[in-house]
Amino acid sequence: MEKPIAILTSLRILKNNSFEGGGEKVEYNLVKHLLDKDNVFILPKLNSFLDGNNSYSSLSKISDKIIGFEYLEEDLDPVERLRKFVEKLKGNRTILLDINYGPSYRFYRMFKFSELLMEPSLKYGEVMYISYKADLRSSVLLQGIASHDYFFGVPLNVLRYLKNRLRGFPIDVFINHKNKIVYTLYKGFREKFIVRKLKNSPNVVRIYGMSPGQLNSLGVLNSGKGKVLYPAAAIEGELLSFREKRTDKDDYMVFFARLLPLKGTLELPFILSKVKEIVKEAKLFIVGKFPEDIRGKKNESFQDYFFNLVEEMGLSDHIVYKGYLTGNELYDVVSKAKCVVYPSHEDTFSLSILESITVGTPVVSYDIPGPKSVFNGLPAVKFVREYDIDAMSKEVANLFKAGWEDYRKIVYNDKVESFIRDHTGWRNVSERLYEDLMKV
């Protein structure tokens, strides 16, 4: 039998088949296809036991694939559960793969301070603890880490914001100064420190990334451990039907993503306002969920904060909030749009961009490292400088005003078609990952 591979993943995602963002969608599809291999197994992450519904009967059909399935529903504290996993794995030649690496604040809260003090490897997530204790080789796929570039540990999206704010940028995308400080510490210095640990750990043999820009930001692109997945994400063939059947477009742009401040949500009304100076009939459709744990300037919900801003700007009749859509409902809305506006300040790849160009809708995006290193050079994806809402508005307006033949040339051309072919089929992504894992 080939050497075993144990994938650290969240059972919640497998059980519910629901995703909060692109990272979880990547995680689900990779695990789903990798499990077809006889030598691939699941090692449940501790966040599998945080949702308050720890019934795993729906996963019983793959119980032979889940390490420690027999005690999944036991009431174990986190350290005890990890120790049981170590006992299961110690002494064999399993290679660990954390499919969506990045210890979160919720992860740290599961442990007592004394446990983190006595077990230093816990600070770097389950994969580091288990590989160290069981003396196993491990690998990680970085999805949310390094979603922007750094300057001496400070995320560049913070520094660029401060620079543009002084020049009159109209909105605080971080909402307040406290958030800027927390973000700098958590997404800046903390991430650089964690990745330095990965680079120096003798147990970690591979650091996978979603894009060249991401790994370059971390300084691991040309290291012996760093490797960019290509393709790193995919669409399935049925999505191409939306590309093939569309013969005209409606007069709206669309934004679909997690509706977070750093996805550019607060910039949307300002972009629309400037587009309407050129294209009066333009509208904006917004698709996604507003977060419940983020507050506005006056401690109102982020959703109320956003729509109060929309009302103040007199745009209530020009913005349509569609709520959270998935599948054909989502792709129908995106495929009818003149363009996707994507002012995101953090991304390592962007499934939204991939899905948009697949259904035949061009994208205007900020030039952050991850997406730019993947999609740059494709006529269907226009990049403008981060925080330059004037340039973004002009690019959007140009797409609204383009004649149908010129518009089709942007979306339907050899470069875009070739790119979509390369990124069709999640099995293709999982096979590339599997082949590399078997070599390390």
Side-chain angles (χ1 to χ4, degrees), residues 230 378 413-424:
Y230 189 86
L378 296 180
N413 56 75
D414 291 343
K415 277 190 175 181
V416 175
E417 301 289 351
S418 175
F419 187 90
I420 292 171
R421 280 196 299 273
D422 284 352
H423 291 79
T424 298

Side-chain angles (χ1 to χ4, degrees), residues 137-156:
R137 291 176 301 161
S138 60
S139 53
V140 296
L141 173 56
L142 307 181
Q143 294 199 56
I145 287 182
S147 51
H148 210 292
D149 217 336
Y150 306 92
F151 182 75
F152 290 102
V154 180
L156 270 186

Side-chain angles (χ1 to χ4, degrees), residues 122-255:
L122 275 178
K123 294 195 292 289
Y124 308 102
E126 299 104 318
V127 67
M128 292 289 277
Y129 176 86
I130 295 170
S131 65
Y132 173 72
K133 292 290 185 180
D135 193 24
L136 298 173
R137 291 176 301 161
S138 60
S139 53
V140 296
L141 173 56
L142 307 181
Q143 294 199 56
I145 287 182
S147 51
H148 210 292
D149 217 336
Y150 306 92
F151 182 75
F152 290 102
V154 180
L156 270 186
N157 52 6
V158 177
L159 295 176
R160 286 180 179 171
Y161 164 75
L162 295 172
K163 178 181 177 180
N164 282 275
R165 188 66 164 168
L166 290 173
R167 295 177 174 178
F169 193 76
I171 192 75
D172 187 345
V173 299
F174 294 89
I175 300 177
N176 58 51
H177 294 314
K178 178 184 175 183
N179 289 345
K180 295 182 193 70
I181 294 169
V182 172
Y183 184 85
T184 298
L185 294 173
Y186 190 79
K187 291 292 291 179
F189 296 113
R190 170 185 161 274
E191 285 190 355
K192 291 287 281 185
F193 182 76
I194 286 175
V195 171
R196 188 179 296 117
K197 183 68 175 179
L198 294 176
K199 286 170 65 177
N200 295 331
S201 170
N203 295 95
V204 177
V205 294
R206 184 70 86 214
I207 302 172
Y208 293 105
M210 299 293 291
S211 64
Q214 175 198 23
L215 291 192
N216 189 55
S217 297
L218 293 169
V220 298
L221 181 60
N222 297 314
S223 71
K225 292 184 179 181
K227 187 176 181 66
V228 177
L229 287 184
Y230 189 86
I235 55 94
E236 292 298 351
E238 55 264 27
L239 206 58
L240 294 170
S241 63
F242 289 92
R243 180 180 185 81
E244 293 158 359
K245 72 183 182 183
R246 186 63 56 207
T247 56
D248 60 355
K249 294 281 186 172
D250 294 341
D251 286 327
Y252 67 83
M253 53 182 155
V254 64
F255 171 79

